[in-house]
Amino acid sequence: MLTPMKIRWISLLAAALVAVQISSLQAAPETYKIDPVHSNLAFKIRHLGISWVNGSFKQFEGTVTVDAENPDKSSVKVVAQAASVDTANDMRNKHLCSPDFFDVAKYPTLSFESTHVALKGDNVYEVTGNFTLHGVTKPLTFTFNGSPAVPGMKGETRRGGDTAFTLKRSDFGMTKMVGPVGDEVQISLSFEGVKI
């Protein structure tokens, strides 16, 4: 026979089980490491106001942490090796690595690290953080279009997305040849990350 005391304990136990089940359904934060083989960090800039010169950074790495329950706790960090700049022209690449531009001996990396992430739509985020180029750090905000998590070809979990934004290189102290070479630089990042 169930006494009032037993009924109370059964009710408490049932409530505890429900709480555990609800907790288990909540998504834990997930961190993804950028897969450089399926990712691209690129830029383009005007030459003489006529054509676009396209380039990319062949060596870069980073992580993206997605917190589905608390999007504002999500984060992004990307670091690129300045000396890996590639514009499909060896002479130009060498010039870009010189003190006239990236000055890679003094400033070997360029980077972005988020300080705030806000969910704006279905897998659409507004990301704010600090962008460092040529030894100068400035705040930057951009829209990031994410993808849902999907299974990879080897059973791993992958997630990715893309963004694009424009900045002025002169704001970062890179003022050589502004005029013949454009000041505004369009930067884009498209990446796949593997869950770690």
Side-chain angles (χ1 to χ4, degrees):
M1 179 177 178
L2 293 176
T3 65
M5 179 64 74
K6 287 182 179 179
I7 293 174
R8 182 172 177 231
W9 278 109
I10 290 172
S11 298
L12 288 173
L13 180 59
L17 288 173
V18 169
V20 168
Q21 288 177 337
I22 291 174
S23 177
S24 67
L25 292 174
Q26 292 178 339
E30 297 178 339
T31 298
Y32 295 81
K33 183 177 180 180
I34 290 177
D35 172 10
V37 176
H38 297 99
S39 305
N40 184 48
L41 178 56
F43 65 89
K44 65 178 185 178
I45 189 169
R46 286 283 191 186
H47 179 255
L48 297 177
I50 303 172
S51 65
W52 289 103
V53 173
N54 294 277
S56 64
F57 294 95
K58 296 303 183 184
Q59 297 176 21
F60 65 97
E61 60 186 9
T63 56
V64 175
T65 297
V66 180
D67 190 329
E69 296 298 322
N70 302 285
D72 59 323
K73 293 183 180 178
S74 299
S75 63
V76 179
K77 184 175 183 180
V78 180
V79 178
Q81 300 299 316
S84 72
V85 64
D86 183 10
T87 61
N89 182 284
D90 290 341
M91 185 177 295
R92 181 167 53 216
N93 295 344
K94 185 176 180 179
H95 190 195
L96 287 173
C97 289
S98 76
D100 284 351
F101 293 98
F102 287 107
D103 197 358
V104 299
K106 192 172 182 180
Y107 310 112
T109 64
L110 52 152
S111 63
F112 175 82
E113 186 166 4
S114 65
T115 56
H116 182 70
V117 176
L119 182 64
K120 293 297 183 179
D122 187 17
N123 285 315
V124 178
Y125 301 84
E126 182 181 78
V127 182
T128 298
N130 294 315
F131 184 81
T132 300
L133 169 66
H134 201 245
V136 178
T137 299
K138 288 186 173 291
L140 175 69
T141 298
F142 56 81
T143 298
F144 179 78
N145 301 296
S147 75
V150 298
M153 299 179 71
K154 296 182 178 180
E156 77 281 15
T157 300
R158 289 178 175 260
R159 196 166 191 154
D162 59 81
T163 187
F165 54 87
T166 300
L167 54 80
K168 288 186 176 182
R169 62 188 180 95
S170 61
D171 289 342
F172 295 83
M174 195 182 289
T175 57
K176 192 74 172 181
M177 297 177 67
V178 171
V181 179
D183 189 15
E184 289 192 345
V185 184
Q186 296 184 18
I187 298 176
S188 64
L189 169 65
S190 178
F191 86 95
E192 280 188 26
V194 179
K195 186 178 176 182
I196 56 177

